[in-house]
Every structure is written in C-alpha cells, then in structure tokens.
Amino acid sequence: MILKLLIIGVVIYTVYFLFFKTKPEAKVSKKSAKKESKKPDADEMVECATCGVYAELEECILSNGKYYCSHECLIKAK
Ligand SMILES: [Zn+2]
C-alpha cells in the first residue's frame, strides 16, 4: 500500500517536474530567438545618400536603392 502511494507520488512529481521545467525553457528560447533576430536590424547603420549622415536602417527611407535619413534629403536628391 505504501509502495503504491510512493510510486504514484513519484509519477505525479515527475510529470509536474517535467511540465514546469519545460515551460520556462520554451519561453526563454523564444525570447532569445526574438532578441537575436531583432538585434542585427536595430544595429545596422546606413549612410544618407544626400547629407552623408549615418542613421538607423529602420528610420531610413529607401528609394531607388539609396537610403535617405529624412524626407527632406529624399526630396533634395530628386
Ligand atoms: Zn540626409
């Protein structure tokens, strides 16, 4: 009787342990994957074709294969 309870207890503990252990790991791996994919884009700096100022790629305007730091530079280039 005691042995059966022990086995059941161990099985429940193992299931719970596995369940709680795998959940945070999945979250961590998802977060790190997001960070890795975001980092190269955010750090990439491109030179403005008009004024030569370096700006973040996300903030730049791409026109005819050239990057411009602002709309003013894009209008000046045309
Ligand atoms: Zn510019």
Side-chain angles (χ1 to χ4, degrees):
M1 191 65 180
I2 293 161
L3 192 72
K4 267 190 179 178
L5 283 169
L6 262 172
I7 291 164
I8 290 162
V10 167
V11 168
I12 289 164
Y13 180 80
T14 313
V15 169
Y16 258 85
F17 186 78
L18 285 169
F19 189 73
F20 279 109
K21 210 192 173 187
T22 49
K23 254 197 168 179
E25 270 181 8
K27 272 186 182 177
V28 167
S29 63
K30 263 189 181 180
K31 269 189 180 178
S32 63
K34 267 189 179 180
K35 270 187 182 177
E36 276 172 19
S37 62
K38 262 192 175 182
K39 258 195 173 180
D41 288 341
D43 287 344
E44 204 170 328
M45 302 291 277
V46 287
E47 191 180 1
C48 175
T50 305
C51 66
V53 164
Y54 279 88
E56 281 184 29
L57 186 62
E58 282 180 4
E59 291 170 10
C60 285
I61 301 151
L62 179 63
S63 180
N64 297 324
K66 285 177 179 177
Y67 288 100
Y68 301 95
C69 66
S70 63
H71 254 282
E72 280 178 37
C73 286
L74 179 64
I75 291 159
K76 277 181 192 174
K78 278 183 178 177

PDB file of all heavy atoms in Angstrom, residues 48-53 68-70 73, ligand 1:
ATOM      1  N   CYS A  48      23.230  58.253 -45.377  1.00  0.00           N
ATOM      2  CA  CYS A  48      22.275  59.008 -46.195  1.00  0.00           C
ATOM      3  C   CYS A  48      22.953  59.415 -47.505  1.00  0.00           C
ATOM      4  O   CYS A  48      24.069  59.928 -47.501  1.00  0.00           O
ATOM      5  CB  CYS A  48      21.812  60.236 -45.426  1.00  0.00           C
ATOM      6  SG  CYS A  48      20.749  61.320 -46.403  1.00  0.00           S
ATOM      7  N   ALA A  49      22.279  59.191 -48.614  1.00  0.00           N
ATOM      8  CA  ALA A  49      22.849  59.465 -49.933  1.00  0.00           C
ATOM      9  C   ALA A  49      22.991  60.963 -50.195  1.00  0.00           C
ATOM     10  O   ALA A  49      23.775  61.370 -51.047  1.00  0.00           O
ATOM     11  CB  ALA A  49      21.983  58.818 -51.009  1.00  0.00           C
ATOM     12  N   THR A  50      22.265  61.802 -49.469  1.00  0.00           N
ATOM     13  CA  THR A  50      22.297  63.248 -49.696  1.00  0.00           C
ATOM     14  C   THR A  50      23.250  63.961 -48.736  1.00  0.00           C
ATOM     15  O   THR A  50      24.162  64.659 -49.172  1.00  0.00           O
ATOM     16  CB  THR A  50      20.886  63.850 -49.561  1.00  0.00           C
ATOM     17  OG1 THR A  50      20.025  63.160 -50.452  1.00  0.00           O
ATOM     18  CG2 THR A  50      20.892  65.334 -49.888  1.00  0.00           C
ATOM     19  N   CYS A  51      23.061  63.785 -47.435  1.00  0.00           N
ATOM     20  CA  CYS A  51      23.854  64.548 -46.460  1.00  0.00           C
ATOM     21  C   CYS A  51      24.975  63.726 -45.829  1.00  0.00           C
ATOM     22  O   CYS A  51      25.824  64.293 -45.143  1.00  0.00           O
ATOM     23  CB  CYS A  51      22.948  65.147 -45.391  1.00  0.00           C
ATOM     24  SG  CYS A  51      22.158  63.910 -44.336  1.00  0.00           S
ATOM     25  N   GLY A  52      25.012  62.424 -46.032  1.00  0.00           N
ATOM     26  CA  GLY A  52      26.094  61.591 -45.520  1.00  0.00           C
ATOM     27  C   GLY A  52      25.988  61.248 -44.049  1.00  0.00           C
ATOM     28  O   GLY A  52      26.909  60.692 -43.480  1.00  0.00           O
ATOM     29  N   VAL A  53      24.869  61.567 -43.439  1.00  0.00           N
ATOM     30  CA  VAL A  53      24.657  61.255 -42.027  1.00  0.00           C
ATOM     31  C   VAL A  53      24.294  59.780 -41.892  1.00  0.00           C
ATOM     32  O   VAL A  53      23.527  59.258 -42.698  1.00  0.00           O
ATOM     33  CB  VAL A  53      23.552  62.161 -41.439  1.00  0.00           C
ATOM     34  CG1 VAL A  53      23.018  61.614 -40.115  1.00  0.00           C
ATOM     35  CG2 VAL A  53      24.075  63.574 -41.253  1.00  0.00           C
ATOM     36  N   TYR A  68      17.963  57.335 -47.444  1.00  0.00           N
ATOM     37  CA  TYR A  68      17.903  58.747 -47.063  1.00  0.00           C
ATOM     38  C   TYR A  68      17.464  58.852 -45.604  1.00  0.00           C
ATOM     39  O   TYR A  68      16.555  58.146 -45.175  1.00  0.00           O
ATOM     40  CB  TYR A  68      16.931  59.506 -47.964  1.00  0.00           C
ATOM     41  CG  TYR A  68      17.326  59.433 -49.430  1.00  0.00           C
ATOM     42  CD1 TYR A  68      16.769  58.477 -50.264  1.00  0.00           C
ATOM     43  CD2 TYR A  68      18.283  60.308 -49.948  1.00  0.00           C
ATOM     44  CE1 TYR A  68      17.148  58.383 -51.603  1.00  0.00           C
ATOM     45  CE2 TYR A  68      18.670  60.232 -51.279  1.00  0.00           C
ATOM     46  CZ  TYR A  68      18.100  59.259 -52.099  1.00  0.00           C
ATOM     47  OH  TYR A  68      18.482  59.169 -53.408  1.00  0.00           O
ATOM     48  N   CYS A  69      18.096  59.790 -44.865  1.00  0.00           N
ATOM     49  CA  CYS A  69      17.832  59.891 -43.432  1.00  0.00           C
ATOM     50  C   CYS A  69      16.475  60.526 -43.165  1.00  0.00           C
ATOM     51  O   CYS A  69      15.870  60.308 -42.128  1.00  0.00           O
ATOM     52  CB  CYS A  69      18.939  60.683 -42.745  1.00  0.00           C
ATOM     53  SG  CYS A  69      19.031  62.405 -43.222  1.00  0.00           S
ATOM     54  N   SER A  70      16.006  61.359 -44.098  1.00  0.00           N
ATOM     55  CA  SER A  70      14.726  62.034 -43.879  1.00  0.00           C
ATOM     56  C   SER A  70      14.057  62.303 -45.228  1.00  0.00           C
ATOM     57  O   SER A  70      14.659  62.123 -46.285  1.00  0.00           O
ATOM     58  CB  SER A  70      14.948  63.361 -43.149  1.00  0.00           C
ATOM     59  OG  SER A  70      15.737  64.220 -43.952  1.00  0.00           O
ATOM     60  N   CYS A  73      15.921  64.999 -47.374  1.00  0.00           N
ATOM     61  CA  CYS A  73      17.033  64.508 -48.181  1.00  0.00           C
ATOM     62  C   CYS A  73      16.516  63.758 -49.411  1.00  0.00           C
ATOM     63  O   CYS A  73      17.130  63.828 -50.476  1.00  0.00           O
ATOM     64  CB  CYS A  73      17.927  63.587 -47.352  1.00  0.00           C
ATOM     65  SG  CYS A  73      18.931  64.498 -46.158  1.00  0.00           S
TER      66      CYS A  73
HETATM   67 ZN    ZN B   1      20.198  63.053 -45.076  1.00  0.00          ZN
END
